Amino acid sequence: MTDGLFPRERAEIAPGAVHVPAWLPFARRRELVDACREWGRGPFPYRHTVLPGGGVMSVRSLALGRQWVPYRYLDAVGIALPDWLVELGRAALVEAYGEHGGFTPDTALVNFYAPGARMGMHQDREERSSAPVVSLSLGDRCVFRFGNEENRGRPYQDVDLGSGDLFVFGGASRWVHHGVPKVFPGTAEPGLGLVGRLNITLRETGLSV
Ligand SMILES: O=C(O)CCC(=O)C(=O)O
Ligand SMILES: [Fe+2]
């Protein structure tokens, strides 16, 4: 896959953190965008999450499978996590690591970044399972900041995540701080039918029902 002048190469950003540019074929991206739109039409629309301190996230999100509120998972399921998405998550791990290790995600967070939206540095740490996090990106390109386990600051690496990209972080990278400091508006590929950026993360909560 070539983006402009330079091919974007598959890279292991850190041990257990694998970036596969343009992993999803265009047709699959379109299907995912359509699915994300459908999910938002139902009784559980995309919402700005209100943080305990009163801050409001600029991203709008919805959950598939087990629902997340800051900073815990609820027992409640709003929208079911479809089997085909679980299978896609397994295929993503086979791509990244050569095996899926029995990955059985029970939740997916779908984030929508309208122009100007971003996500601060954080850890995905409400999960009791150490299974990897699978991230799929659609639409506008962004800077994905991948840091360290200790704090929100340096050292970090900035990774360019584009439409169709797969990013997996597991193993020694599972509890690393990460965030999205910038999205580049208008960079979604034509024909995708998306203004902005969508990101889907699949996780195993490790919680029993
Ligand atoms: O949008 C992204 O690429 C990252 C999303 C994320 O870190 C999260 O939902 O926890
Ligand atoms: Fe995260």
Side-chain angles (χ1 to χ4, degrees):
M1 173 74 192
T2 306
D3 247 2
L5 216 45
F6 302 104
R8 297 190 308 131
E9 303 282 356
R10 174 193 177 99
E12 184 163 5
I13 302 299
V18 180
H19 177 209
V20 186
W23 180 61
L24 294 166
F26 180 70
R28 201 75 209 258
R29 296 177 207 172
R30 290 225 13 191
E31 287 169 10
L32 279 169
V33 168
D34 289 347
C36 289
R37 192 167 283 128
E38 279 307 312
W39 291 321
R41 277 200 242 277
F44 302 95
Y46 290 88
R47 288 182 195 281
H48 294 280
T49 298
V50 180
L51 300 170
V56 178
M57 288 178 71
S58 55
V59 167
R60 276 185 284 163
S61 313
L62 63 73
L64 309 173
R66 198 183 270 270
Q67 288 183 297
W68 179 86
V69 295
Y71 291 96
R72 66 196 165 91
Y73 284 99
L74 305 176
D75 287 334
V77 170
I79 308 170
L81 178 63
D83 290 343
W84 61 261
L85 197 50
V86 173
E87 287 307 319
L88 188 60
R90 289 188 170 169
L93 289 191
V94 172
E95 172 67 35
Y97 299 143
E99 57 177 338
H100 65 62
F103 185 54
T104 309
D106 57 336
T107 189
L109 196 62
V110 187
N111 291 315
F112 174 65
Y113 296 74
R118 47 191 289 286
M119 188 177 289
M121 294 295 278
H122 66 277
Q123 285 165 304
D124 293 1
R125 63 170 184 194
E126 283 72 60
E127 299 77 21
R128 294 285 167 270
S129 161
S130 58
V133 175
V134 169
S135 150
L136 300 168
S137 293
L138 300 160
D140 284 345
R141 273 193 304 115
C142 76
V143 175
F144 180 67
R145 185 159 289 174
F146 199 70
N148 65 82
E149 202 168 302
E150 281 69 43
N151 60 58
R152 294 184 169 79
R154 293 177 190 275
Y156 55 69
Q157 296 178 72
D158 282 347
V159 181
D160 198 54
L161 286 190
S163 195
D165 286 16
L166 166 65
F167 195 94
V168 173
F169 52 106
S173 288
R174 174 59 181 82
W175 309 103
V176 160
H177 290 82
H178 56 277
V180 178
K182 188 166 178 49
V183 179
F184 300 99
T187 54
E189 68 272 55
L192 186 66
L194 177 61
V195 175
R197 170 174 189 262
L198 282 165
N199 176 266
I200 305 173
T201 46
L202 286 161
R203 306 123 185 250
E204 252 184 32
T205 65
L207 301 166
S208 54
V209 188

